[in-house]
Amino acid sequence: MSLPLSATTTAGFADPGLDAWFTGLGDEYLGRIPDGSLRPRMVEGWRLRWRDRELEIQVDADFPFSVARVYLVGYSRAKAEPHVEKDGKLCLATKAVPGDRLRTIQAAVADAVQLLKENETKKHEDDFRDDFGLYWLSWATRGDFRVQVMPGSHGASKTVLGRAVMTDRGLLVFPGKAEAIKVMHNLTGAAPKSLKETPIIVIDPLPAPARYPETAEELWALVEARSNDGVHLLERLVSNTPTEAFVVLAGKSPSGREHYAATCLRRPSDKAGKALKRRFMRKSIDPSKDTARTVFGRFELDRLFTQRMDAAISRLPEDVRNKLAAAKVIVAGCGALGSGVARMLAQAGVAHLWLVDPEDLGWENIRRHELGALAVNTGKAKSLAGSIRANLPTIGKVEGYLSTFATFAREHPDVLKAANLVISCTGDWAADASVENALAQSGLNAVAVYGWMEPHALATHAVLIGRSGAKFADGFGDHGQFRLPVVAGGKPPPAECGGASTPFGAIELAHAQALVAKLAIDTLRGLADAPVWRSWLADATAFQEADASVTSGWAAARGQPDDIGGPYEGHWAFP
């Protein structure tokens, strides 16, 4: 029988409210849900019958400014359906109709019925595999222990004997020893003391929830049936009858998405609550049977909450991500501007960074620098490199040097030769000139992005200079006077700035960092051809608070900026 999604008000109800609408559904309405049977945080609920299924519609205290939830009663993993969570909650795209209780309920019921009809026709069956990771999380048997998996270069297409490290955060699983040492060194500053052999076994196709292994024997059968070369790794794993071991299943969904799912194998406990001894695990095994499989089947199994260590992977296409990961970038100047640019590049996927700065971090820096008080009196470049490695431990290489760029270029010509891009954020004309001078050498391929802020960060400039044509020096006089400045006047710097710089706010700084980082990324992606000159201006309020104005030269060349400021792009050419 089909459930009607609208009904006339039953006699006796003057107001066509919710109870009236539900009652008007006739025999399909099974009544209100008692308060004691409502799900957590729900305050009202109704039961319906749809065909041979029972549904619950429940709402929270924010309703009707929140959606109505629809649940399948009696739902279990054996009856798993696409887009239904472990507790039977249907994953619907329904939106609330704010303030309208009846229409919000009707919309939820209509979408629920539509989903259940589509599930009957197996329309969403592939979604079990496309969203395999989420379903695995939902049906994990242990939520208190988490596994993070770092995919290798072959991803979920090759079975490997991985290595794992137990930490206070859970288990970290790597595709090999080298990756484990690199990431743990980035995280902790030291190589791991021990590594656990942990098979990462490719399964094809990935199983639906009803086929998730409940026992070690079922795990073996799944690997045997759906893996080309995983059984020998299970045999290796069980050869020493470990107290505890881990197996990670990997695979690709029909859409190509990669998924990882970890299991934990434990020896059963004896009467004293201790793990059975090895001899008991191997006791009374029929010699005619597969010894390894029999021993493996005696372990207890848990399905574990599993996440990818690269779960925050960029929205960029794979070929672009690969290009950024292969790029080699030098950042000269790791102050307020350069430190933010370096971190943005690392977060965007640039995997090889050399950071160069001759100064220590001072107390005057901490309100505008990526590093805080804990790094005061340490080298900016070295501390920033350590911070990036610790917070993005899967990154390829980040090194810091307490040095001027000129010295770095002389002492590390191999790095300069390998570089694709040099970003100069020194804020110093002589230092920027040393970058241009170094890159003029033959045999180098790197181009340069120069970024700097004018007083109070009221204007920021980012300029891309190539191997030929326009020079960065074209925009400056002999003593470093910029030929087309934006800012005129302005308050003098306060004493805490040491007289060497002007204060500025976090908002202006964020715009400046983004401007330079975006031009750098565009350059690495091949979206910007030198020369390119981009500028960003603060709003009129920021100029007023700094007692500054826009120069007549800028206004004549680019026009008087709007009160809200914003971006500009022009030619790096000067009369």
Side-chain angles (χ1 to χ4, degrees):
M1 180 182 295
S2 297
L3 179 69
L5 301 183
S6 61
T8 57
T9 303
T10 303
F13 285 90
D15 176 23
L18 283 182
D19 287 326
W21 183 77
F22 277 114
T23 302
L25 298 177
D27 291 342
E28 307 296 348
Y29 177 45
L30 303 178
R32 270 184 168 267
I33 300 173
D35 289 347
S37 299
L38 290 168
R39 299 179 188 244
R41 296 183 297 282
M42 299 294 108
V43 298
E44 280 188 285
W46 303 263
R47 287 197 179 98
L48 296 177
R49 181 187 297 110
W50 181 75
R51 298 182 181 172
D52 61 344
R53 321 285 295 272
E54 185 175 327
L55 305 178
E56 291 182 350
I57 295 87
Q58 301 194 24
V59 298
D60 61 20
D62 293 338
F63 177 77
F65 295 92
S66 62
V67 298
R69 279 79 164 178
V70 183
Y71 300 86
L72 272 176
V73 178
Y75 186 70
S76 67
R77 189 166 60 88
K79 302 176 182 178
E81 298 182 37
H83 304 295
V84 183
E85 297 178 8
K86 185 177 182 180
D87 60 355
K89 178 177 174 289
L90 276 62
C91 298
L92 306 174
T94 315
K95 304 294 183 182
V97 183
D100 193 321
R101 290 165 58 88
L102 179 57
R103 289 174 64 197
T104 297
I105 289 289
Q106 288 176 324
V109 172
D111 286 348
V113 169
Q114 182 65 30
L115 174 62
L116 295 176
K117 286 180 178 178
E118 291 172 351
N119 282 352
E120 287 183 345
T121 63
K122 307 296 184 183
K123 178 178 179 179
H124 303 294
E125 203 68 15
D126 278 348
D127 290 358
F128 275 144
R129 280 84 181 179
D130 273 328
D131 293 330
F132 174 80
L134 292 176
Y135 287 105
W136 183 271
L137 295 183
S138 180
W139 294 103
T141 54
R142 281 189 64 184
D144 61 323
F145 186 86
R146 301 200 171 196
V147 177
Q148 284 88 36
V149 180
M150 176 183 176
S153 58
H154 295 283
S157 60
K158 182 178 180 180
T159 293
V160 297
L161 182 60
R163 299 294 190 276
V165 180
M166 188 71 72
T167 73
D168 56 1
R169 310 179 188 191
L171 190 75
L172 307 182
V173 181
F174 305 94
K177 183 177 179 180
E179 293 88 348
I181 292 173
K182 180 195 75 173
V183 172
M184 295 309 298
H185 193 277
N186 285 344
L187 274 174
T188 67
K193 294 181 180 179
S194 62
L195 297 171
K196 297 174 69 73
E197 289 190 348
T198 301
I200 302 175
I201 300 174
V202 175
I203 301 293
D204 185 25
L206 291 166
R211 297 295 302 274
Y212 293 170
E214 291 274 8
T215 65
E217 173 59 35
E218 290 180 358
L219 175 60
W220 185 290
L222 178 66
V223 169
E224 187 175 56
R226 302 194 183 187
S227 170
N228 290 329
D229 48 6
V231 168
H232 77 278
L233 289 183
L234 299 185
E235 293 172 341
R236 173 173 176 148
L237 190 69
V238 80
S239 61
N240 291 323
T241 325
T243 302
E244 181 181 67
F246 299 89
V247 175
V248 175
L249 304 179
K252 290 187 176 182
S253 68
S255 67
R257 292 173 60 192
E258 295 185 348
H259 297 277
Y260 298 85
T263 61
C264 176
L265 299 161
R266 295 173 287 105
R267 289 191 222 158
S269 300
D270 59 20
K271 293 181 180 179
K274 296 182 179 180
L276 281 179
K277 295 186 180 297
R278 285 185 172 87
R279 66 176 183 273
F280 290 112
M281 291 290 290
R282 295 179 173 275
K283 189 176 181 180
S284 304
I285 294 178
D286 186 338
S288 64
K289 293 185 177 180
D290 184 340
T291 301
R293 180 168 186 164
T294 302
V295 173
F296 191 90
R298 291 179 175 179
F299 281 83
E300 295 181 347
L301 180 140
D302 284 310
R303 295 189 304 274
L304 302 177
F305 190 99
T306 311
Q307 296 173 306
R308 290 178 58 154
M309 292 180 70
D310 63 346
I313 195 164
S314 169
R315 61 175 174 78
L316 296 173
E318 185 177 0
D319 61 329
V320 176
R321 296 200 303 268
N322 292 339
K323 185 179 294 185
L324 294 181
K328 296 176 174 58
V329 178
I330 301 170
V331 179
C334 297
L337 180 59
S339 64
V341 170
R343 192 176 295 276
M344 284 184 179
L345 295 183
Q347 291 172 329
V350 176
H352 300 84
L353 290 166
W354 287 263
L355 312 180
V356 183
D357 195 295
E359 296 180 349
D360 289 347
L361 187 74
W363 284 105
E364 71 276 7
N365 303 134
I366 64 172
R367 287 186 180 271
R368 57 194 184 191
H369 200 278
E370 290 296 306
L371 300 170
L374 293 178
V376 167
N377 296 328
T378 67
K380 293 178 183 178
K382 284 183 173 292
S383 292
L384 180 62
S387 174
I388 292 175
R389 288 194 301 266
N391 286 286
L392 300 169
T394 60
I395 198 165
K397 182 183 184 68
V398 185
E399 297 292 343
Y401 296 84
L402 187 66
S403 167
T404 63
F405 180 81
T407 299
F408 175 83
R410 289 195 306 270
E411 295 180 351
H412 302 279
D414 54 329
V415 177
L416 196 61
K417 187 173 183 179
N420 305 107
L421 174 67
V422 176
I423 303 171
S424 185
C425 296
T426 66
D428 179 81
W429 161 241
D432 286 345
S434 75
V435 172
E436 185 155 67
N437 178 68
L439 293 182
Q441 301 175 44
S442 62
L444 300 183
N445 296 311
V447 296
V449 168
Y450 298 87
W452 74 99
M453 297 181 291
E454 294 194 35
H456 303 278
L458 295 174
T460 301
H461 304 279
V463 179
L464 169 62
I465 299 295
R467 296 286 300 159
S468 61
K471 302 295 185 184
F472 184 60
D474 297 343
F476 297 84
D478 292 341
H479 300 288
Q481 304 94 338
F482 184 34
R483 297 188 186 280
L484 193 59
V486 175
V487 181
K491 294 178 180 179
E496 61 266 24
C497 287
S501 62
T502 55
F504 42 82
I507 303 301
E508 291 81 16
L509 178 59
H511 281 293
Q513 293 171 341
L515 180 81
V516 179
K518 180 66 165 58
L519 181 54
I521 292 295
D522 286 351
T523 301
L524 295 173
R525 293 184 60 184
L527 301 179
D529 295 320
V532 173
W533 177 15
R534 296 176 184 173
S535 303
W536 180 87
L537 275 61
D539 58 42
T541 300
F543 273 85
Q544 292 168 3
E545 291 177 344
D547 289 343
S549 61
V550 176
T551 64
S552 58
W554 178 272
R558 300 293 172 84
Q560 187 67 31
D562 294 336
D563 286 348
I564 61 173
Y568 288 81
E569 183 165 337
H571 298 291
W572 187 247
F574 302 87

